Amino acid sequence: MSEDGDNIGERMDAGARQAEADREANAALILSLRSQGIRSHKVLSAIERVPRRLFLSAALQRHAAMDSALPIECGQTISQPSLVAMMTEALDVQTAHRVLEVGTGSGYQAAILGHLSGEVHSLERYRTLVDLARERLATLKIGSVEVHHCDGLEGLAEKAPFDRIVVTAAGPDIPRPLADQLADGGKMILPLGPKGTVQQLVMVERRGAVLGRRVLADVRFVPLVEGVATRL
């Protein structure tokens, strides 16, 4: 075999080994999520199809199977898989739902939502994160997610109303534009509370003009920041 042929074979072998490692890591992750009470088959299936490793920097990829939050670019974090699974399961996303995500971050949760819904709009204030998320989603061939570089606090009025809204950063109260863009019968999940303290993960459900709330868990999220970043 020629030297070029040897190199191609080595790359194919490395790719196959990595694919097998991803399958093993995700299988272990699914077992862990089941043990923590995640029961939705479709949510577990979506998570199993998204290698978390692809959403981390090279230095942190060995930690991809850990159920812990990890740092990503622009001073943000990728949430622990159990929290992503719990939030996604609570939303009960259906294929026909139009979904809004505020805070794309690495793009990991957007990818999972993209396997559950035919239309997902994800908003991110950092251009660096927008570009990285788009690349990762394209690599995974997830075409149902559109990532927008904009102020997430304003929502995306031109695509409203949304059947489901998920907010991945914490603020003191429900942003009015997001409440206005939630469809009748729709659900929104978001963390509420001040920066640097334990916050409450809240489920909001619209029934006509009434927004009902219930607390799901205590959490810690990065703060929800107004505007589009002028750097990064």
Side-chain angles (χ1 to χ4, degrees), residues 17-31 48 65:
R17 288 194 298 272
Q18 185 60 68
E20 180 60 27
D22 285 340
R23 283 191 291 270
E24 290 178 358
N26 270 9
L29 176 58
I30 295 304
L31 286 174
E48 193 169 23

Side-chain angles (χ1 to χ4, degrees), residues 205-223:
E205 298 187 56
R206 176 177 288 284
R207 293 288 181 268
V210 177
L211 293 178
R213 301 189 189 193
R214 58 189 173 94
V215 176
L216 301 181
D218 291 335
V219 293
R220 285 184 181 271
F221 277 83
V222 295

Side-chain angles (χ1 to χ4, degrees), residues 86-107:
M86 185 265 281
M87 293 173 68
T88 306
E89 185 175 59
L91 280 174
D92 187 27
V93 177
Q94 306 296 318
T95 304
H97 284 163
R98 180 179 294 155
V99 179
L100 178 69
E101 180 189 39
V102 178
T104 309
S106 69

